[in-house]
Amino acid sequence: MSLTVAVQMDPLDQINVAGDSTFALMLSAQARGHRLFHYQAEDLNWSDGRLWAKAHPVTVQPPSTPGARDHYCFGDPVSLDLGDEADAVLMRQDPPFDLGYITATHLLERIADRTLVVNDPASVRNAPEKVFVLDYARFMPPTLVTRSLEEARAFLSQHGQIVVKPLHGNGGKAIFKVEENGLNLSALFEIFNQTWREPHMVQAFLPDVAKGDKRIVLVDGEVAGAINRLPGAGEIRSNLAVGGSAEKTELTAREREICDILGPELKRRGLIFVGIDVIGGEWLTEINVTSPTGIVAIERFDGTDVAGMIWDAIERRVAER
């Protein structure tokens, strides 16, 4: 089965080719004979029920040498009708999960009855990482969602040490640990409340984060693989984008329980490629559905072809439509 695939993502010249999950998906798709097009979310257009994008036909290849930027080649741009000319759209631009992102989900939802969108745009819109996870609070560390300094202080008093982070943040950005004495908590909330209109996430600090933050990838509801991400020196954040490192890992019984419970709901919602984050083998902190990562590192440690598993799922769903 040869598919026409439109990839909605960030500029290709700005990605980190060595670890980028979207690039790995593109390489895998091309190896299967699928035809690739690249466009950015701001290239979307709608009129009279038709959704199209100014898209570039693209071929991809591993860089010729480390650091070289010859990993892609664009053809002349075309006006690609995403409803009639594409078999699948990969919605893979990085957050922030802002109005631009949300608008793209609304537009892509209008073709979802004709073209497979991965992940399903309505489900992505309704399942932001740190909000969807609240449906599974029994697996989460103690958590508070608030804009109130008073509530945050009470939560700190109850739990001793806390972590404060943006509700719609990504990539480990703007995550702060606050010690028991609460120094700078009020200044931190001033900054957060001035920067973001939505509430913020406050969680009890988990010392086990020093042992790693596990990224588990699920494909169409099934576990595809996992890596353990270790914080860099002087850090509590283990995200690879902020200096964390990865190591081989296995799932605990608790993690398998979490995946068994999440899996059917992810599949039902059309969330084909999902990455969940678990600390200490038991504490679920995020369900990443917008632009999850980790498949390159999993393949490096386990030899598991996660990109191939994702394309198997996509091809299966396209054939069933």
Side-chain angles (χ1 to χ4, degrees), residues 19-22 25 91-95 101 118-119 124 129 215-218 271-277 287-295 310:
D20 191 271
S21 291
T22 306
L25 286 169
M91 189 170 61
R92 291 288 303 173
Q93 80 269 24
D94 287 340
Y101 205 114
V118 182
N119 285 320
V124 167
E129 275 74 341
R215 163 58 57 89
I216 306 170
V217 170
L218 294 97
L271 297 170
I272 292 176
F273 178 12
V274 175
I276 69 170
D277 297 338
I287 304 173
N288 298 275
V289 305
T290 50
S291 184
T293 61
I295 65 175
I310 293 169

Side-chain angles (χ1 to χ4, degrees), residues 42-89:
E42 54 262 37
D43 296 322
L44 288 170
N45 309 276
W46 181 94
S47 180
D48 293 330
R50 177 174 173 261
L51 182 67
W52 73 97
K54 183 179 179 181
H56 289 267
V58 61
T59 57
V60 290
Q61 58 277 327
S64 56
T65 57
R69 308 306 293 173
D70 56 355
H71 55 285
Y72 72 98
C73 180
F74 277 160
D76 293 335
V78 298
S79 179
L80 183 68
D81 188 312
L82 298 178
D84 291 337
E85 297 176 338
D87 298 298
V89 172

Side-chain angles (χ1 to χ4, degrees), residues 144 146-157 160 162-165 176-193 200-202:
L144 169 70
T146 188
R147 285 179 62 86
S148 167
L149 175 60
E150 180 183 359
E151 296 293 344
R153 280 177 169 158
F155 190 83
L156 174 63
S157 178
I162 60 174
V163 170
V164 182
K165 50 190 173 181
F176 293 87
K177 179 185 177 186
V178 178
E179 300 292 344
E180 189 172 3
N181 57 24
L183 290 178
N184 293 322
L185 180 61
S186 61
L188 182 61
F189 257 71
E190 285 175 10
I191 294 171
F192 269 50
N193 284 344
H200 324 299
M201 178 166 274
V202 185

Side-chain angles (χ1 to χ4, degrees), residues 71-148:
H71 55 285
Y72 72 98
C73 180
F74 277 160
D76 293 335
V78 298
S79 179
L80 183 68
D81 188 312
L82 298 178
D84 291 337
E85 297 176 338
D87 298 298
V89 172
L90 299 188
M91 189 170 61
R92 291 288 303 173
Q93 80 269 24
D94 287 340
F97 192 74
D98 56 12
L99 282 175
Y101 205 114
I102 291 169
T103 300
T105 68
H106 280 294
L107 292 173
L108 288 170
E109 187 179 4
R110 281 157 170 74
I111 62 162
D113 60 333
R114 290 173 285 159
T115 301
L116 179 69
V117 183
V118 182
N119 285 320
D120 179 84
S123 294
V124 167
R125 187 173 64 247
N126 293 330
E129 275 74 341
K130 297 181 184 69
V131 179
F132 181 26
V133 70
L134 302 179
D135 289 353
Y136 302 93
R138 63 192 182 279
F139 296 123
M140 296 178 68
T143 298
L144 169 70
V145 178
T146 188
R147 285 179 62 86
S148 167

